[in-house]
Amino acid sequence: MKIAVVGSGYVGLVAAACFAELGHEVVCVDNDPAKLRALERGVTPIHEKFLPELIARHHGKRLRFSDSLAAPVSSSKAIFIAVGTPSTEGGEADLSYVEAVSREIAHCLGDHRGEYKIIVEKSTVPVYTNEWIQRVMERSGAPQGSFDVASNPEFLREGTAVTDFLFPDRIVTGCDSRRGLETLREIYAPLTSGNYYKQKNAIPEPDGARVPPALVATGAKSAELIKHASNAFLAMKISFINAVANVCEAVGADIEQVREGIGLDRRIGSRFLAPGIGYGGSCFPKDLLAFRAVAKESGYDFALLDEIMRINEEQRQRFVRKVRNALWTLKGKRLAALGLAFKGGTDDIRASQAIAIIQLLLREGCSIAAFDPAAMPRAREVFRGEPALEFAESAYAAAQGAEAVLLLTEWEEFAALDLERLKSAMKYPILVDGRNLYSPAVMAEHGFTYHSVGRQGLEAPKPAAVKASESASSS
Ligand code: UDX
Ligand code: UDX
């Protein structure tokens, strides 16, 4: 099928490349000339596994890029809207880009009564957006009955976006017309039939994938709500386990044991129960605010969402308090911060808790050496002109002379550090682990003072010299 995707951000570009991989003819449109020039040169503006391969495989064949909507709209049967839906001041979703693109699509359609078209919401949007797109397009001249608007929310995670798209747990297609649902069913048939996975150069199947994925056909409003509710539920699981971790700290229990004990209940499930400094990213924070706003608008006071956000905020403060408790005072302290991205496996720093915590510690008068395997180029923008922050070549370089090392992002490589080498670089062997990448037992073995989330802290054994002087003074 001929498909147009408007917006080449995380969702748009991954969707466009994957639709081409499924055999469709795709034009990806973006109004950012710099991004388009890079894509035309085969440069992928985002750090996503398998994406460069897919673009190299299909670019110039089944995948093209364009800065104009006209031709792609008239030649395509399905037009996916994947432009940004950032938050407004009040927390609502800013749908002005979606509206602008809908109006432009309608103008391109003109009084075109030719082939039936489907306009598909791929960006995360609040309930009712499909009705507004329909209304705006008709007001802008798109002939009634010549198109339908559908919702097809994307559940991909950054860092695993391509495999999440090609091996989804479910594909949600929401449209109030049978013709629309049929068209979406046709687009995803290579996945739901299982045929794609039989191809010899198919993207490798990740562990635990559900093949073939389920396809859920719903009304448009239900599909829009499925996305907001799914993200809110996942964020709730994270805030819940962080709240339980805070109780563990207070009563002397171990969150990792608690997490295992509750996660084995299949009604709960062990995924998305990793305690830490809280969730970040371009989705959870903004989608919770948008869901909160649309629920309020519809007359329902969804206060639970406020509590999820409050717990997440509090995790930042709690972590800073933990660093202070480990060092007594913060002013003038030299710290090493490992992790800037909002999670491991991505270069994205949008709403990163790591960056927020570093900003709090800088405000307390600390100096910080930061390292991240992928996100430093983007973080340099945020900390431009900040004299008390420097970027280091490696985790060990960051730890050089540090009075404490802070683990802020769950990069795999941070869970496999050479602890003796790290310790020898540091001024004091103090590690504050915001992602529970290590166990207290291992850290004790290596003689660290170690504080983590939801577990009891431990003090490094006193150096021999101190012990000797103490026993001398006590004898
Ligand atoms: C998008 C949505 O913003 C988000 O709600 C959803 O959860 C995931 O999909 P993302 O892909 O990360 O997020 O967006 P972003 O990286 O901001 O990319 C949007 C792209 O659309 C940009 O490349 C931008 O240049 C382009 N764009 C924006 C257009 O081409 N036309 C416009 O009118 C506006
Ligand atoms: C999320 C959703 O998972 C995805 O379905 C949706 O399409 C977009 O938003 P993403 O933002 O890429 O994806 O990241 P995700 O892997 O969900 O992590 C979100 C945040 O939660 C990260 O900051 C991560 O560190 C944190 N997290 C995740 C935890 O603190 N604990 C966990 O158990 C899982």
Side-chain angles (χ1 to χ4, degrees), residues 81 95 98-99 102 119-121 125-140 144 147-151 174-176 219-224 294 297:
I81 300 178
L95 298 170
V98 173
E99 180 179 355
S102 307
I119 315 302
V120 189
E121 303 164 341
V125 293
V127 67
Y128 295 127
T129 303
N130 75 94
E131 290 175 9
W132 271 109
I133 293 176
Q134 182 93 30
R135 200 171 297 143
V136 161
M137 288 186 61
E138 285 169 1
R139 280 183 191 158
S140 312
Q144 254 186 357
F147 69 96
D148 281 319
V149 179
S151 165
C175 191
D176 302 329
K221 280 188 282 202
S222 302
E224 290 163 337
V294 82
E297 228 169 275

Side-chain angles (χ1 to χ4, degrees), residues 268-283:
I268 301 173
S270 58
R271 299 183 68 187
F272 267 64
L273 279 184
I277 57 176
Y279 60 77
S282 65
C283 294

